[in-house]
Amino acid sequence: MCGIVGYIGHQKAVPVLLEGLQRLEYRGYDSAGVAILQDGKIRVEKTVGKLEALKETLEGKDLDTYVGIGHTRWATHGAPSTANAHPHMDCTGKFVIVHNGIIENYLALREELQHLGHEFKSETDTEILAHLIEQYDDGDLESTVKKALKRVDGSFALGVLDREEPNRLIAVRKDSPLVIGIGQGENFIASDIPAILKYTKKAYILNDYEMAIVTKDHVEIKTLDGEQIENKEVFEVKWDAAAAEKGGYEHFMLKEIHEQPKAIKDTLSGRLDLDNGQVVLDEVKLPVEQIKNIKKVFITACGTAYHAGLMGKYMIEDLVRVPVEVDIASEFRYRNPIIDNETLIIVVSQSGETADTLAAMREAKQKGARVVAVTNVVGSSVAREADDVIYTWAGPEIAVASTKAYTTQLIAMYLLSLYFAQVRETLSKQEIKGYLEALNQLPEQAEAALKQDEDILQLVKAYAKSENAFFLGRSLDAAVAMEGALKLKEISYIHAEAYAAGELKHGTLALITEGIPVITLATQQDVYDKTISNIKEVTARGADVIAVAFDTDTQIQKSVNHVLTIPLTEKYFTPVLSVIPLQMLAYYMAIERGCDVDKPRNLAKSVTVE
Ligand code: AGP
């Protein structure tokens, strides 16, 4: 996620801006920049790479100024480059902005502004905001920004400076976080608390559609409709800097588990045309004719990304009727797969740098396949080398154990499957519309699935001393069982096995002993009765069964020891919700067992070696 800072006060602005950006480094970024107001002019300095590069550029320059904005960019639209780095200016150099979020209608706005004569210097969605403000300039920064933002669809945390109004800066928030730090004779804007902690522990947390008009001595807050907000609550920061980087959560993993509703919403944003019942995947340049001619799909990835790929198989085969094989990348490249120019390869990789996945992709390309990548990092090796890329806009994932990356990878698989079904007309518009409406519910449903800490903490008390656990499921639930087992293994070090429930009686049932915890997913209605039989198989041999089921299921409680529930959704989309209690179970188990949750032993966040 991008980081925004802004300052107006009695100190020199640049050191304050750099300190703030330093505190936001944990958000991940690939470029950085600052804009200052000096002698009636806006001056912008920006560089690719880490803050060190920006500091070197600023070294020795006359930066005598008391107001400025700064930014660290996590690329979404437009690869990492100096031109794409923020801050961005309008044509005349009167306005300068920094932005965190996604402007969904930026292409249409860019075209309109170009027709009006605006010239763009970057390929970002953000830059259109600077030109839009210029277009609506009525001589008052506050009303100008309000008018411009009425044209914008999407999410934004925005900082704006006007060279003709050097005594104030404007901050506006919709869907992307933004706080206003309250100082003595100075005030701050920032994406997150850590950036202001050195100077103040008092802040306003902006709500959606709120605008702050910030001078060095005063902060005025209004809604974008112009309503004055009196007596806004002042947030007193109780955290230290380390805790603040985690947004007050104890670990990055817990923060990222709770970021999933927003990550899912961001990954869906701009890609669902609910009115017309269409998936919008403009970034996939794969020609329609080629999509119609695909005879075979391979999905290849590692670890959690591989588990996400498994969902693609179910959905593409069932709805698009094209054969799909899902391969672990380190195996795929050595089995001489049968590939030709009617084969599509989908590679899934959060980091976009996993050596095995990269090697598998290169092998497939050499054999003539077309490659679509699903990745979370703009400009990563996978993104650069694939023919098409679908980004999961989850923001940087810091914890080694992948959580929000997995659920947003699922979203990407769903979108791609439905897009293929749309192009090959294997689903009607009505059917696609139904799926899109269900997808649109997921962020809110994920929020609901997060609300069961108490139940999970009870389970942790009961089973934290177990050294073994089983995860069972059938159909899509079997793939989620694999992800649940991996989560538990990699952070709590409990040995966990995932099994297709129907397979248990072919050997592994021998391992079921008294009191062993067996987590069973029971969401797939077409195999529900069989799953209940498998539950009875293991309880008859002394196992304790913890089921994950829909909150509408009134039967499951009769057959198991504990139930964790999720809201009812479309069969294919249940993994996005059913994985959440499993992530939380793994997290709290690891805490109880005194494990290093964010950095588990022996593991790296991105495995860039084979
Ligand atoms: C999952 O929690 C692990 N962090 C690991 O399995 C990871 O998913 C795997 O290494 C693949 O990484 P990638 O998505 O960056 O390619």
Side-chain angles (χ1 to χ4, degrees), residues 341-354:
N341 61 6
E342 291 179 331
T343 309
L344 179 74
I345 308 291
I346 302 172
V347 295
V348 186
S349 175
Q350 187 285 131
S351 63
E353 300 301 342
T354 299

Side-chain angles (χ1 to χ4, degrees), residues 387-503:
D387 299 299
D388 290 294
V389 186
I390 299 178
Y391 286 113
T392 51
W393 287 327
E397 191 175 64
I398 312 291
V400 165
S402 209
T403 50
K404 62 177 183 174
Y406 172 74
T407 43
T408 52
Q409 284 161 359
L410 294 178
I411 297 295
M413 299 312 290
Y414 300 148
L415 291 168
L416 198 55
S417 310
L418 289 169
Y419 180 63
F420 288 163
Q422 179 175 293
V423 169
R424 293 170 68 116
E425 296 176 335
T426 51
L427 285 180
S428 69
K429 264 192 187 305
Q430 210 45 42
E431 287 169 317
I432 291 176
K433 189 175 168 68
Y435 282 121
L436 300 189
E437 280 160 0
L439 280 174
N440 205 34
Q441 296 300 315
L442 287 177
E444 204 175 306
Q445 292 177 314
E447 205 65 70
L450 284 164
K451 293 184 172 46
Q452 38 197 342
D453 296 78
E454 285 319 306
D455 294 344
I456 290 170
L457 288 169
Q458 293 305 319
L459 295 174
V460 168
K461 278 198 183 57
Y463 301 107
K465 293 194 171 24
S466 312
E467 288 313 316
N468 294 288
F470 278 85
F471 287 73
L472 301 182
R474 282 175 175 261
S475 176
L476 288 153
D477 281 340
V480 181
M482 292 171 76
E483 177 57 15
L486 176 59
K487 288 283 103 37
L488 190 65
K489 276 185 275 196
E490 67 176 329
I491 62 170
S492 77
Y493 313 144
I494 292 173
H495 181 234
E497 282 300 310
Y499 262 86
E503 184 62 7

Side-chain angles (χ1 to χ4, degrees), residues 191-218:
S191 298
D192 204 352
I193 296 284
I196 61 171
L197 265 188
K198 181 177 175 183
Y199 309 103
T200 178
K201 286 187 178 276
K202 289 184 175 179
Y204 293 121
I205 311 294
L206 285 193
N207 297 316
D208 282 352
Y209 301 103
E210 285 185 349
M211 169 187 273
I213 299 101
V214 183
T215 68
K216 70 182 181 57
D217 298 311
H218 185 60

Side-chain angles (χ1 to χ4, degrees), residues 25 29-32 47-54 72-73 80-81:
E25 281 196 302
Y29 68 104
D30 44 58
S31 54
T47 54
V48 175
K50 295 304 174 195
L51 281 175
E52 286 324 306
L54 179 61
T72 46
R73 180 174 183 246
S81 69

